[in-house]
Amino acid sequence: MKRFLLSLFLALAASPIYLHADEPVKTGWSVGLLPAVNYNNDLGFQIGGLGQVYHYGDGSLYPQYLHKFEAHAYLYSKGAKQFIANYDSKHLIPGKRLTLSAQYMDNPLCGFFGFNGAASPYYSTLDLKKSADKDDGIAFYAHHQQRFLFSADVQGSLAPGLTWIGGVQYTWQRYADVSLSPYNGTETLYHQYVETGLIPEEDNFGHRVELKGGLVYDTRDLEANPGRGIYATAQVTGGGSWSSACRTSLLFSADVRQYIPVVPSLLMLAYQVAYKGLVAGSLPFYALPAFNMRGSYSTRIVGNGVAWGSADIRFTAARGTLLKQFFEVGLVAFADAGGVVQPYELEAQRLLGDHTTVKTLDGETFGPYRCIFDPAVATGERLHISVGGGFFFTMNRNFVTAIELGKPLNPQDGNFGLYINLGFSF
């Protein structure tokens, strides 16, 4: 895989190609139905399909669209099932943008790595997933997640490039021990957190409703694959979570992204600086802000507040038309950095530093490890950094597939991650 990615990178980087590069203007309805055979570091190999339907009208706004519909259905090699339906339009409600999304996820091996980033030690030997004889196994950094989400957002214009945004989101979730054979669901970090009270029983099931409002400043020339412009948001979110008990919270988030054409239509620098954190109240563990660093696991770095930055260099190596469709192929190199700036239950976590884990697998003993908190490994939070690269494909400027390989600089954050996603990470 590494040799293949390197060979493709060098071949594309050798010289830009522009054959039949005149871009046809799309009108009416454009339908894309594609099988999906992808890979995600958290979920494994993905098999499924997706459909995207764009309505461009008379083409006067192309590459902008009038309406966009999406439907996804995926199965993953680690056992998860995911279904997604999205709708987006700036024209259904005159003068307003409406975005609707519904998602369902059933993930029997959902990652759980503890709280507060580096304060939770990570042991790669406990991240093995099964034994050779299939009668026992390790799924130490996992729990079972079931989650349904529906959201509706509306945006309205205040000034050129500046809009207000308001929305509502409802989430139902249930979390439990891993129940798949050959894993022992009681020998997991999640089970230890529940058993010791770091995760209260009432947080493992329930509902959450969030209301948000804020401002969006957007001067991007194209949302899916911008060549220039700024995208900045500032939002306040009020939420309530309830099952047998009710917990309320107020969060603030800010996100600034800029896309700088170093060489127009050929080489671009994109960067992001962001923060999300708790202002008042308290959060259940499943609603904690997370820093999703490419190359690590999406739930590795969580807390009451996280801050991060990312930078991409995107090089368009070739573009052209095929079967009346406009395609682009390019390369990307990136770096991510961030961490927890507001800890979550850190003192309670420290008090459990004597809690140890021993695991025997195929006759080999692992441990004892201090898995909740180990002062020898995790003396405090630090800056988490990863670097990597990959390539991307676009069709008709709006359909983007990005394939990226990321490597954390510290082995406590993981080994590496491969991602094949629809769209760029930002």
Side-chain angles (χ1 to χ4, degrees), residues 67-81:
H67 304 276
K68 176 184 176 182
F69 302 86
E70 284 185 336
H72 309 246
Y74 302 127
L75 298 176
Y76 295 89
S77 61
K78 295 183 181 180
K81 300 182 286 290

Side-chain angles (χ1 to χ4, degrees), residues 53-106:
V53 179
Y54 293 90
H55 182 45
Y56 293 104
D58 61 6
S60 60
L61 297 177
Y62 180 82
Q64 306 292 342
Y65 50 82
L66 299 180
H67 304 276
K68 176 184 176 182
F69 302 86
E70 284 185 336
H72 309 246
Y74 302 127
L75 298 176
Y76 295 89
S77 61
K78 295 183 181 180
K81 300 182 286 290
Q82 184 179 30
F83 305 95
I84 303 171
N86 297 326
Y87 171 76
D88 179 55
S89 175
K90 296 180 180 178
H91 303 275
L92 182 67
I93 304 175
K96 305 292 187 296
R97 180 175 188 170
L98 175 65
T99 304
L100 304 174
S101 180
Q103 302 181 27
Y104 174 75
M105 170 71 85
D106 184 351

